[in-house]
């Protein structure tokens, strides 16, 4: 296994996309008994544009640093919670937000596990979930996100990861911004 | 009847694990819940727990610290602890076992995986 001190300095787009697709598929099949169909991945830079829906965000830190997130509409979030908890939900409440956070935690946690053997050990933050209308996010970063869209029946969601080597570990605080997914833009 | 403690910061996972427990043939009594390791230790001081299912990544006190503190108390030494976590590397599993975990299941999990592990522990 690669240790922190000898962590790999490159990660191909294909490796990252494969990890995202594999983790998302496994979580939805195993825990939700739902099938997701992955679309074509793309790279996106953050932009401060208004959006609506549910966004769940998790930080990664270690030899490599970054963030992972899942974003979907309110209706899609309710569908995810209904499948996970085997209870029908039609609107956003605490249970739905917690379910989306946990699904994101499992997906990004498994992406991390898939990459750790090459990139070195990383820690995972607890998820933050945002739900609202017409909100904006921005940061001082200039990060590129690898975005993988998924179709969940008639709904759409996306899983995205932004990760880079932690060259300045211990010297500065690393912050990554968040690109508003196209599917949530108002 | 076996009283169980589920430790996870996600209410969704606590609910799912509670449902899985009730589906086993193990005679389950009261199922207590805690959102982190500190809450779990408080619950264990007040109740007689026979089985613990715990996450690792949690705020305040994580599952590994909880496990270490729990195993340091002689009265809780024999209680089986099943770790249920997204942390899936071999290093993390070995660390948990080294600190006294009785078993390990990686998230995402199936009900059958949890039930199989529990039958082996009880």
């Amino acid at each position: 296994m690669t240790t922190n001190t000898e962590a790999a300095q490159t990660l191909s787009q294909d490796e990252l996309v494969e990890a995202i697709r594999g983790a998302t598929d496994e979580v939805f099949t195993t825990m939700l008994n739902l099938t997701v169909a992955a679309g074509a991945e793309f790279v996106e830079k953050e932009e401060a544009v208004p959006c609506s829906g549910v966004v769940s965000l998790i930080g990664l830190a270690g030899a490599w640093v970054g963030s992972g997130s899942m974003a979907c509409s309110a209706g899609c979030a309710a569908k995810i919670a209904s499948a996970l908890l085997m209870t029908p939900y039609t609107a956003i409440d605490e249970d739905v937000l917690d379910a989306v956070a946990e699904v994101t935690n499992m997906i990004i946690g498994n992406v991390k596990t898939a990459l750790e053997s090459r990139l070195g050990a990383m820690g995972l933050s607890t998820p933050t979930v945002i739900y609202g209308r017409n909100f904006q996010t921005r940061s001082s970063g200039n990060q590129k996100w690898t975005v993988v869209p998924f179709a969940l029946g008639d709904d759409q969601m996306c899983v995205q990861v932004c990760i880079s080597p932690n060259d300045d570990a211990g010297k500065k605080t690393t912050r990554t911004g968040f690109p508003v997914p196209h599917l949530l833009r108002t | 009847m076996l009283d169980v403690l589920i430790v996870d910061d996600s209410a969704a996972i606590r609910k799912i694990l509670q449902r899985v427990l009730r589906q086993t043939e193990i005679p389950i009594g009261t199922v207590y819940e805690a959102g982190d390791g500190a809450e779990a230790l408080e619950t264990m001081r007040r109740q007689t727990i026979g089985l613990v299912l715990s996450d690792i990544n949690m705020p305040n006190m994580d599952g590994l610290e909880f496990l270490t503190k729990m195993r340091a108390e002689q009265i809780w030494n024999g209680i089986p602890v099943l770790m249920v976590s997204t942390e899936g590397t071999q290093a993390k599993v070995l660390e948990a076992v080294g600190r006294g975990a009785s078993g390990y299941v990686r998230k995402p999990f199936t009900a059958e995986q949890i039930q199989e592990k529990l039958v082996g522990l009880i």
Side-chain angles (χ1 to χ4, degrees):
Chain A
M1 175 187 277
T2 309
T3 64
N4 281 2
T5 50
E6 58 190 22
Q9 291 300 301
T10 59
L11 172 68
S12 74
Q13 177 83 352
D14 286 350
E15 283 175 292
L16 183 55
V17 169
E18 190 184 330
I20 292 171
R21 284 182 174 165
T24 306
D25 184 62
E26 187 184 4
V27 169
F28 273 78
T29 305
T30 309
M31 298 291 295
L32 289 85
N33 203 22
L34 292 174
T35 304
V36 287
E41 76 276 8
F42 57 94
V43 173
E44 195 167 63
K45 286 184 76 172
E46 62 176 297
E47 294 173 58
V49 294
C51 67
S52 298
V54 179
V55 172
S56 178
L57 192 63
I58 294 182
L60 294 158
W64 284 56
V65 291
S67 302
S69 83
M70 187 172 90
C72 62
S73 66
C76 185
K79 182 190 277 189
I80 288 169
S82 301
L84 184 69
L85 299 172
M86 294 184 182
T87 305
Y89 292 94
T90 54
I92 298 291
D93 64 9
E94 284 294 316
D95 286 355
V96 173
L97 296 179
D98 186 67
V100 171
E102 187 52 33
V103 168
T104 310
N105 182 46
M106 286 188 276
I107 292 171
I108 302 302
N110 279 278
V111 169
K112 176 184 90 83
T113 299
L115 299 178
E116 272 181 326
S117 59
R118 250 180 54 70
L119 304 184
M122 287 178 275
L124 204 63
S125 74
T126 51
T128 298
V129 189
I130 303 158
Y131 166 58
R133 287 181 190 166
N134 215 19
F135 63 83
Q136 291 186 15
T137 64
R138 65 174 182 171
S139 82
S140 58
N142 184 30
Q143 303 287 332
K144 288 180 179 172
W145 288 70
T146 297
V147 185
V148 183
F150 292 90
L152 182 60
D154 295 335
D155 291 305
Q156 280 218 315
M157 51 169 258
C158 65
V159 177
Q160 48 194 13
V161 173
C162 164
I163 189 167
S164 58
N166 188 10
D167 296 329
D168 296 326
K171 292 182 186 170
K172 68 176 185 183
T173 302
T174 304
R175 293 196 309 175
T176 55
F178 177 76
V180 174
H182 287 292
L183 67 95
L184 298 185
R185 289 179 185 177
T186 53
Chain B
M1 299 289 266
L2 193 69
D3 287 350
V4 182
L5 173 61
I6 299 173
V7 192
D8 200 304
D9 56 330
S10 165
I13 290 294
R14 297 199 301 267
K15 189 174 179 182
I16 292 165
L17 287 174
Q18 179 142 191
R19 188 175 65 228
V20 171
L21 280 171
R22 299 284 181 202
Q23 290 169 347
T24 66
E25 291 178 358
I26 300 165
I28 302 295
T30 305
V31 178
Y32 298 94
E33 297 184 10
D36 60 47
E39 255 184 51
L41 288 173
E42 281 299 310
T43 304
M44 293 197 66
R45 288 188 190 105
R46 291 196 311 268
Q47 311 296 340
T48 305
I49 301 296
L51 170 69
V52 177
L53 280 68
S54 178
D55 187 15
I56 289 182
N57 290 328
M58 293 180 288
N60 302 323
M61 184 190 292
D62 71 21
L64 293 176
E65 188 181 349
F66 160 64
L67 189 58
T68 305
K69 288 186 189 296
M70 188 188 150
R71 290 306 189 211
E73 300 286 337
Q74 204 172 356
I75 52 164
W76 297 333
N77 230 336
I79 300 171
V81 180
L82 180 65
M83 305 306 287
V84 184
S85 174
T86 52
E87 293 284 357
T89 59
Q90 195 182 15
K92 197 60 90 173
V93 175
L94 290 174
E95 185 180 359
V97 171
R99 291 186 188 217
S102 318
Y104 203 106
V105 174
R106 186 176 65 86
K107 295 178 190 171
F109 54 80
T110 62
E112 290 74 24
Q113 286 170 331
I114 297 283
Q115 287 160 2
E116 255 176 46
K117 287 282 182 185
L118 290 179
V119 167
L121 293 180
I122 305 299

